[in-house]
Amino acid sequence: NGEALATARALDAERRASGPRSPLHGIPVILKDVFDTADMPTTGGYIPLDGVKPSKDATIVARLRAAGAIMLAKVNLSDWFGNPDIMASSTLGGSTLNPFALDRTPGWSSAGTGAGLAAHFATVGLGSETGFSIRTPTSDSNLFGLSTTSGLISRAGQMWSYITGERGGPMAHSVYDLAATLDVIAGFDSDDLWTAQSLGKMPMTSYVSFINPDGLRGARVG
């Protein structure tokens, strides 16, 4: 995003003048290239869509911007339409490598988000999965990720495969960052009526409020 630095400076000035909009104010976000962004192309990693810009942001991208987050970049994925050489590559972007070991895979289709976060390009990112495409790169890149219940997060403006199983979700370096992002993007969206399933099932307080920093103190993990 060529405007990322200008956006950051404007958000810094706003924070000094009136305080933060949310915990995500001024935080850089990377996006799997299935989420529409009006200022950057959305390609799905597919060569024929190279350079194609949507007319508006995906719902959850718009919510992140409204919360003060900076859309830093779109990242690689496994495209659905070509024949990439490995599971973490696209015909447009090529192979995604694992920053911890370049000869190892960084996971399945949300591999670009996982690798980008592992390389500390951003604080949080968005992934999506039909099967386990958030959970695998989260594991392979030593991150925290949430494959949300179908219907919790809007898919309006997101490329996806089938209505009952496709879901988006946050990926991050900590549980707090994950929960703070979920607070912004979760909930009903009239542009994706599948999210009506979330009505009456979300907590009355923020997801962040359930975090106990000492929750694992004294625990034995094997």
Side-chain angles (χ1 to χ4, degrees):
N1 180 0
E3 298 299 317
L5 283 176
T7 301
R9 293 187 181 103
L11 287 166
D12 284 347
E14 179 184 322
R15 177 190 287 270
R16 289 192 294 269
S18 56
R21 301 182 194 179
S22 79
L24 297 185
H25 188 115
I27 296 298
V29 178
I30 54 176
L31 307 167
K32 181 179 180 179
D33 196 11
V34 296
F35 297 97
D36 283 351
T37 46
D39 54 354
M40 291 177 280
T42 301
T43 70
Y46 187 44
I47 288 176
L49 295 180
D50 186 15
V52 175
K53 288 185 180 181
S55 59
K56 64 177 183 178
D57 288 335
T59 294
I60 60 175
V61 172
R63 289 178 178 177
L64 287 167
R65 290 194 205 267
I70 302 166
M71 302 304 105
L72 183 64
K74 310 292 282 292
V75 290
N76 200 27
L77 66 154
S78 301
D79 84 54
W80 302 324
F81 309 106
N83 293 297
D85 56 347
I86 62 170
M87 58 189 175
S89 66
S90 72
T91 50
L92 180 59
S95 297
T96 305
L97 306 181
N98 191 319
F100 290 108
L102 298 181
D103 60 340
R104 294 178 181 266
T105 178
W108 286 77
S109 73
S110 299
T113 307
L117 291 175
H120 290 276
F121 292 153
T123 305
V124 297
L126 291 183
S128 66
E129 71 171 38
T130 310
F132 39 83
S133 295
I134 291 175
R135 289 168 287 173
T136 301
T138 292
S139 175
D140 290 345
S141 295
N142 195 33
L143 301 167
F144 294 88
L146 184 62
S147 173
T148 55
T149 300
S150 178
L152 180 64
I153 293 176
S154 173
R155 300 157 304 172
Q158 174 191 329
M159 296 178 179
W160 46 278
S161 301
Y162 71 104
I163 190 169
T164 57
E166 194 76 26
R167 50 212 179 272
M171 298 165 63
H173 291 282
S174 71
V175 174
Y176 177 89
D177 292 345
L178 199 75
T181 305
L182 191 63
D183 279 332
V184 170
I185 63 177
F188 176 74
D189 175 24
S190 60
D191 287 338
D192 180 6
L193 294 181
W194 196 250
T195 57
Q197 296 182 93
S198 69
L199 296 174
K201 297 179 181 179
M202 294 177 62
M204 297 297 290
T205 57
S206 72
Y207 289 103
V208 167
S209 69
F210 295 97
I211 296 175
N212 176 6
D214 297 320
L216 292 177
R217 186 177 297 277
R220 297 180 65 190
V221 180

